[in-house]
């Protein structure tokens, strides 16, 4: 199915073939889990279970930092599971979120009442907290501090709605801006990046806001079905009486206009994304950070002016994701990817869209920044295209042969 979805994109077929034949080793370092403690192996198993894409990206990091990022993710995933579980009352959630950072130092603390799909990280929290305490003190301080701040912020928005664009930024800052700030500090603590990487909190938070806004835009329907609302009233109230009304077929035109305004809002963070990535010096750290950023710009391009956001799930193709993951290894490649996807957005801007002017301005700004080191270059040679043609021919022959039977 992955190959069929990429049939119209030969360059994606090449990357899928390389990936299936072991080309992922060009991206992901091999991890020797046999040398780890049983509890650390369990943590990596939970990482795989809760986010395969993040688990794959994490393996590209160096050992000590990789373990710290793994534990950091699981701690925040556990915190986020408390926030997301709609079966828990506010009386249960709020004190847990406020105090969650203290549970890191309680060897036996666990929570068994969650019904969330990721509840395993709460049920077996003693394994995660054990590995947290095995980290060096520098890593521990960063993780505990971010966990505390995020818990307080999440609790705040359990009891209030996202009304204004300022609320939207504040919520995204609590959920992902702080997460990104913590990652930056971990990079600095590791010694692989300069201290300034962890100290520029504003820049890190803006990068995090780009990722979280993309998630919130893409997940409109899923959040509606789960009873959650994160789109800011200041925006959606211009297009409907209730946020849920946007999913009604008769409201699809204003719904898409609302969507386009939010995508435009998210694009304002791309200049900060490019600046942040340009400052990273360690190749592994750079690649780890570049992957989610290029995935996000591709996702925004897929969502922009797309009615499917209100009808189902909008996802980038597996071949597209593999291509992005394998290409985003240097700053020039990332700039080329950003240029490609803002061009896609530009080509879809409706002349009658209320945000059209602002969207075009953001696209122009990102284009200029993407061209700052020269015009985008093609990553493909004629030999690669020949391989694509061969793969395409083989797949077509197999498909036709199967149908004849």
């Amino acid at each position: 199915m992955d190959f069929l979805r990429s049939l119209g994109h030969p360059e994606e077929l090449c990357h899928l073939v390389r990936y299936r034949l072991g080309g992922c080793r060009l991206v992901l370092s091999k991890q020797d889990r046999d040398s780890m403690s049983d509890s650390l192996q369990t943590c990596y198993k939970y990482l795989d279970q809760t986010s395969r894409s993040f688990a794959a990206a994490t393996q590209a990091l160096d050992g000590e930092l990789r373990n710290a990022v793994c534990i950091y993710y699981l701690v925040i995933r556990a915190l986020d599971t408390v926030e997301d579980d709609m079966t828990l009352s506010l009386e249960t959630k709020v004190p847990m979120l406020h105090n969650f950072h203290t549970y890191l130092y309680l060897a036996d603390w666990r929570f068994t009442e969650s019904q969330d799909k990721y509840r395993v990280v709460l049920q077996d929290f003693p394994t995660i907290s054990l590995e947290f305490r095995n980290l060096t003190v520098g890593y521990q301080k960063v993780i505990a501090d971010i966990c505390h701040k995020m818990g307080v912020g999440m609790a705040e928005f359990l009891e209030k709605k996202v009304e204004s664009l300022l609320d939207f930024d504040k919520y995204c800052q609590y959920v992902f801006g702080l997460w990104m700030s913590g990652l930056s500090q971990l990079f600095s603590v590791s010694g692989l990046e300069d201290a300034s990487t962890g100290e520029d909190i504003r820049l890190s938070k803006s990068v995090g806001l780009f990722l979280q806004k993309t998630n919130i835009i893409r997940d409109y329907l899923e959040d509606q079905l789960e009873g959650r609302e994160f789109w800011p009233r200041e925006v959606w109230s211009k297009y409907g009486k209730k946020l849920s009304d946007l999913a009604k077929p008769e409201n699809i035109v204003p719904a898409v206009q609302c969507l386009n305004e939010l995508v435009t809002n998210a694009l304002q963070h791309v200049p900060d994304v490019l600046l942040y990535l340009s400052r990273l010096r360690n190749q592994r750290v750079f690649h780890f950070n570049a992957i989610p950023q290029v995935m996000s710009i591709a996702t925004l391009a897929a969502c922009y002016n797309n009615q499917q956001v209100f009808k189902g799930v909008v996802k980038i193709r597996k071949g597209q994701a593999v291509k992005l993951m394998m290409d985003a290894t240097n700053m020039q490649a990332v700039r080329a990817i950003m240029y490609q996807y803002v061009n896609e957005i530009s080509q879809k801007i409706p002349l009658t869209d209320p945000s059209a002017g602002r969207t075009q301005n953001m696209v122009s700004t990102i284009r200029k920044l993407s061209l700052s080191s020269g015009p985008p270059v093609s990553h493909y040679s004629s030999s690669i295209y020949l391989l694509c043609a061969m793969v395409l021919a083989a797949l077509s022959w197999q498909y036709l042969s199967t149908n004849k039977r």
Side-chain angles (χ1 to χ4, degrees):
M1 182 59 70
D2 294 337
F3 283 97
L4 291 177
R5 291 187 68 201
S6 292
L7 279 178
H9 306 269
E11 73 282 0
E12 292 178 15
L13 288 174
C14 296
H15 284 80
L16 277 171
V17 170
R18 288 175 60 201
Y19 188 82
R20 293 291 176 87
L21 294 177
C24 55
R25 296 191 187 98
L26 300 173
V27 177
L28 307 177
S29 60
K30 181 171 173 53
Q31 187 178 156
D32 184 10
R33 298 192 183 186
D34 292 338
S35 63
M36 298 178 181
S37 64
D38 290 343
S39 56
L40 187 56
Q41 287 189 49
T42 299
C43 286
Y44 275 100
K45 180 182 75 174
Y46 292 154
L47 184 64
D48 286 334
Q49 291 174 356
T50 53
S51 180
R52 292 180 64 186
S53 59
F54 188 82
T58 301
Q59 290 182 66
L61 295 171
D62 294 303
E64 182 185 85
L65 175 60
R66 183 180 63 213
N67 293 341
V69 170
C70 171
I71 302 307
Y72 179 41
Y73 177 88
L74 292 177
V75 169
I76 301 306
R77 169 57 71 187
L79 180 71
D80 191 56
T81 299
V82 174
E83 183 206 22
D84 282 349
D85 193 334
M86 302 303 288
T87 68
L88 301 177
S89 67
L90 289 180
E91 290 74 19
T92 299
K93 284 186 177 185
V94 172
M96 281 183 66
L97 292 172
H98 277 288
N99 298 320
F100 205 88
H101 65 290
T102 66
Y103 305 151
L104 292 166
Y105 301 97
L106 301 178
D108 297 324
W109 186 89
R110 70 178 73 230
F111 186 73
T112 58
E113 298 174 27
S114 175
Q115 300 301 313
D116 190 89
K117 60 184 176 181
Y118 298 127
R119 59 187 176 273
V120 64
V121 293
L122 289 170
Q123 294 170 343
D124 194 19
F125 198 73
T127 297
I128 297 169
S129 66
L130 171 62
E131 287 304 324
F132 164 81
R133 294 188 297 276
N134 285 339
L135 297 172
T136 61
V137 174
Y139 289 134
Q140 288 187 38
K141 286 182 177 179
V142 171
I143 296 171
D145 178 60
I146 296 298
C147 182
H148 184 200
K149 291 176 179 175
M150 285 182 70
V152 171
M154 288 175 172
E156 177 183 337
F157 277 92
L158 282 177
E159 302 182 279
K160 75 179 232 183
K161 293 184 177 181
V162 180
E163 297 286 345
S164 66
L165 281 168
L166 287 176
D167 288 339
F168 189 43
D169 279 6
K170 190 175 183 182
Y171 175 74
C172 291
Q173 173 186 313
Y174 280 139
V175 177
F176 229 96
L178 284 170
W179 157 262
M180 196 64 215
S181 176
L183 274 179
S184 298
Q185 292 174 59
L186 293 179
F187 302 149
S188 294
V189 170
S190 73
L192 296 175
E193 294 295 341
D194 296 337
S196 59
T197 299
E199 292 168 355
D200 196 337
I201 296 174
R202 186 211 66 80
L203 188 63
S204 294
K205 286 182 176 178
S206 182
V207 172
L209 262 63
F210 178 62
L211 298 174
Q212 182 61 11
K213 287 181 179 182
T214 300
N215 293 339
I216 288 175
I217 291 167
R218 179 199 61 202
D219 294 342
Y220 165 84
L221 191 60
E222 177 184 337
D223 286 335
Q224 282 291 304
L225 295 175
E226 294 290 334
R228 299 187 294 261
E229 293 189 351
F230 300 112
W231 285 24
R233 176 186 288 271
E234 181 180 336
V235 175
W236 65 255
S237 62
K238 292 185 285 186
Y239 303 97
K241 292 182 179 180
K242 295 188 297 183
L243 182 55
S244 58
D245 287 345
L246 299 184
K248 296 178 180 178
E250 63 269 25
N251 296 328
I252 196 62
V253 172
V256 170
Q257 291 175 345
C258 180
L259 165 68
N260 291 348
E261 183 171 344
L262 288 176
V263 170
T264 302
N265 177 275
L267 289 175
Q268 69 181 309
H269 299 287
V270 173
D272 282 339
V273 169
L274 292 171
L275 177 59
Y276 179 86
L277 292 175
S278 71
R279 291 180 176 179
L280 298 176
R281 296 291 173 260
N282 181 274
Q283 173 59 34
R284 291 180 179 272
V285 172
F286 175 89
H287 196 199
F288 170 80
N289 282 280
I291 289 172
Q293 305 303 330
V294 296
M295 297 287 192
S296 287
I297 193 65
T299 300
L300 283 181
C303 289
Y304 185 80
N305 209 49
N306 188 350
Q307 297 182 8
Q308 188 61 26
V309 171
F310 303 96
K311 300 175 182 179
V313 180
V314 175
K315 284 186 176 181
I316 60 176
R317 298 176 299 277
K318 177 67 176 293
Q320 190 178 2
V322 169
K323 177 180 180 297
L324 289 168
M325 181 179 71
M326 298 181 79
D327 282 352
T329 56
N330 59 75
M331 201 61 219
Q332 186 178 12
V334 169
R335 288 194 180 101
I337 290 167
M338 292 292 183
Y339 187 92
Q340 171 192 341
Y341 285 106
V342 295
N343 267 354
E344 286 190 15
I345 291 173
S346 178
Q347 292 166 12
K348 296 193 291 183
I349 299 175
L351 294 177
T352 57
D353 190 90
S355 305
R358 281 173 287 163
T359 309
Q360 195 60 61
N361 286 339
M362 280 309 313
V363 166
S364 297
T365 298
I366 297 167
R367 277 174 172 162
K368 289 176 184 176
L369 291 171
S370 299
L371 292 172
S372 62
S373 62
V377 295
S378 171
H379 302 294
Y380 314 108
S381 66
S382 57
S383 59
I384 291 292
Y385 277 116
L386 178 59
L387 172 60
C388 290
M390 293 170 65
V391 171
L392 182 59
L395 287 169
S396 300
W397 175 262
Q398 183 179 26
Y399 176 76
L400 291 171
S401 299
T402 301
N403 281 350
K404 284 180 180 178
R405 296 192 195 99

